[in-house]
Amino acid sequence: MSRVSAVRFSHFLPSLLLLLAGLSAAYVKDLNVFFTSLFNVLPTLVLLLGGSYCAVYRRQRELFLMITVYVAYFLLDTQTDFYRDNGRVREDAAVVFHLCCLLLPLLFSIYALWQEKTHLFRDFVARGAVLLAIGSVALALEQSYPQALLNWLAQIRWPALHGNWMSLIQLSYPMFLIGFLTLAAQYWYQPRPLHAAQLVGGLGLFWMLPQTFILPFTLNIMCSQVMLMIAAGVAHEAYQMAFRDELTGLPGRRALNERMQRLGRNYVLAMTDVDHFKRFNDTHGHDVGDQVLRLVASKLSRVSGGGRAYRYGGEEFAVVFAGKSLDECMPHLEEIREIVANYDIKLRNSDRPQDDSQGRQRRAGSGASSVSVTVSIGVAERQAEQRTPEEVLKSADQALYAAKGAGRNCVIAAGQTRRGAVRMESAAG
């Protein structure tokens, strides 16, 4: 599995686990008193905790997603409680249920796609106004024209598509389909844990609605799980902001510090620096400099031998080999150094076309200019006189300075002489 695939799988993993847990709990027939009581209060508890969490961190999109799910839960829970207590549904059950099936995917998609604005209060008022307007219209229709509205909602508009598989009104299926497509496109262009949670949450709501009056506590369980998915997505993104470097996608300095506390007795640390990066940045611009950092990070993330790369800061990167010796790690570091040195970076011209396909064709042609970069690497192994990771990292940093002094584009181990540096013959001059 590639690094990109692994990252995207990690985006979906928490939500998928919550979805599977919700499905498993919904199909349990006999629940004891404790779980029955828990499921009765769980949606409200999740909204209070998750909503407070989103409000504190000013995540209004997620807050209104939770409110939307909870409003649908409240309306449908009133109907299911009456059904369980009396053995029959309320007179307005059909129209309320059909309206929820139609409006829930609509509002969920609107708030999922609604990007947050800089002015928080105005953004909050606008989101609240949309919810209030749609809710007021739905309430007015339900109170004034229940039978006419029910007939309009339940009308079979596409007879060819109607069958035993269709448990909801036909209008709800295109609403869910449009919602799924837009949420999938949003994740495709902006792969974030929150966008993955929204997509999986939509699937959970789609499964929940037909089972509302069939499986006990399905409504309570799945609404709680969807709100938990949203809260987990916010927490996942907060973790990434704290521990992952946004430019390169590598784990950041804080993640490195935590990893160094769990390395055990045998490990190797390497410090990597992009050669002449400041001069390169001044010559070609910061955009190209960022491109270089992303390139080096991409190559380092694929280091073999069990290594894990981290963004240390600026143009410096760290590579951690847990449970390895220096001799085992040196060939893998030399391989990465050589890959970076042999890679040509295609530079975009200032008059590059707006169309991406034309830009790729132009860069592939003879007129496209290219540059190459190199990296210097210093390596240190835990020794008896260097017992802490901080001391080993400092020794690797000193070896990095030695690699710079040896002419750059080389790998030097701590205590190694310049003549012992691993370098390409073409860089020896």
Side-chain angles (χ1 to χ4, degrees), residues 195-206:
H195 295 164
Q198 293 169 352
L199 187 57
V200 178
L203 291 173
L205 296 175
F206 180 70

Side-chain angles (χ1 to χ4, degrees), residues 291 343-348 363-365 368-371:
Q291 184 183 351
Y343 190 90
D344 288 332
I345 303 174
K346 301 296 182 182
L347 298 180
R348 295 183 178 182
R363 291 193 297 272
S369 59
S370 63
V371 296

Side-chain angles (χ1 to χ4, degrees), residues 232-246:
V234 175
H236 194 168
E237 292 194 351
Y239 174 86
Q240 285 192 327
M241 291 174 63
F243 291 92
R244 189 167 293 275
D245 178 62
E246 184 176 5

Side-chain angles (χ1 to χ4, degrees), residues 326 378-381 383 386 392 395-396 398-400 412-417:
L326 183 64
V379 197
E381 182 180 15
Q383 303 288 346
Q386 297 171 342
V392 179
S395 181
Q398 292 172 348
L400 173 62
I412 289 186
Q416 192 177 34
T417 62

Side-chain angles (χ1 to χ4, degrees), residues 330-362:
M330 289 294 281
H332 303 290
L333 293 171
E334 165 59 18
E335 180 184 9
I336 285 295
R337 181 204 59 76
E338 188 173 355
I339 289 174
V340 173
N342 292 334
Y343 190 90
D344 288 332
I345 303 174
K346 301 296 182 182
L347 298 180
R348 295 183 178 182
N349 298 323
S350 58
D351 61 340
R352 63 181 182 272
Q354 296 296 323
D355 184 74
D356 289 340
S357 61
Q358 295 180 10
R360 284 192 293 270
Q361 293 175 3
R362 179 177 296 186

Side-chain angles (χ1 to χ4, degrees), residues 37-210:
S37 303
L38 176 63
F39 291 150
N40 280 327
V41 301
L42 189 59
T44 303
L45 183 62
V46 172
L47 176 67
L48 291 175
L49 296 178
S52 300
Y53 176 69
C54 293
V56 167
Y57 289 99
R58 301 181 179 181
R59 305 295 291 265
Q60 299 192 124
R61 173 166 57 165
E62 294 77 17
L63 176 61
F64 275 89
L65 279 170
M66 291 186 178
I67 292 175
T68 299
V69 174
Y70 187 82
V71 169
Y73 157 76
F74 177 79
L75 294 174
L76 294 176
D77 186 58
T78 303
Q79 302 292 336
T80 56
D81 282 346
F82 185 90
Y83 175 72
R84 281 195 296 265
D85 294 339
N86 298 276
R88 61 183 177 85
V89 296
R90 286 174 41 165
E91 294 181 357
D92 62 344
V95 67
V96 170
F97 179 73
H98 292 339
L99 281 173
C100 287
C101 293
L102 180 65
L103 297 179
L104 178 58
L106 173 65
L107 282 170
F108 191 86
S109 300
I110 288 175
Y111 286 128
L113 298 171
W114 191 336
Q115 300 292 327
E116 286 156 333
K117 306 299 181 182
T118 55
H119 199 295
L120 294 176
F121 180 74
R122 293 178 183 174
D123 190 46
F124 182 87
V125 172
R127 293 173 192 271
V130 169
L131 182 61
L132 181 62
I134 295 178
S136 299
V137 171
L139 179 62
L141 291 173
E142 191 273 335
Q143 294 292 327
S144 304
Y145 311 101
Q147 191 57 48
L149 179 63
L150 179 61
N151 294 337
W152 183 82
L153 289 171
Q155 180 183 350
I156 298 175
R157 292 169 171 78
W158 306 284
L161 299 177
H162 190 68
N164 295 330
W165 59 272
M166 190 168 289
S167 304
L168 306 176
I169 56 172
Q170 283 197 332
L171 282 176
S172 67
Y173 287 93
M175 295 302 297
F176 270 108
L177 179 60
I178 294 172
F180 289 146
L181 292 177
T182 53
L183 293 179
Q186 182 187 48
Y187 180 80
W188 179 262
Y189 290 106
Q190 294 179 318
R192 294 171 48 186
L194 175 63
H195 295 164
Q198 293 169 352
L199 187 57
V200 178
L203 291 173
L205 296 175
F206 180 70
W207 173 86
M208 174 196 74
L209 288 172

Side-chain angles (χ1 to χ4, degrees), residues 264-269 324 380-389 392:
R265 297 178 60 85
N266 300 315
Y267 55 87
V268 173
L269 301 180
K324 301 291 183 178
E381 182 180 15
R382 182 187 182 275
Q383 303 288 346
E385 63 274 11
Q386 297 171 342
R387 295 185 175 274
T388 67
V392 179

Side-chain angles (χ1 to χ4, degrees), residues 253 273 310-318:
R253 181 78 168 268
D273 185 88
Y310 297 81
R311 173 85 182 274
Y312 190 78
E315 66 271 23
E316 289 188 312
F317 301 86

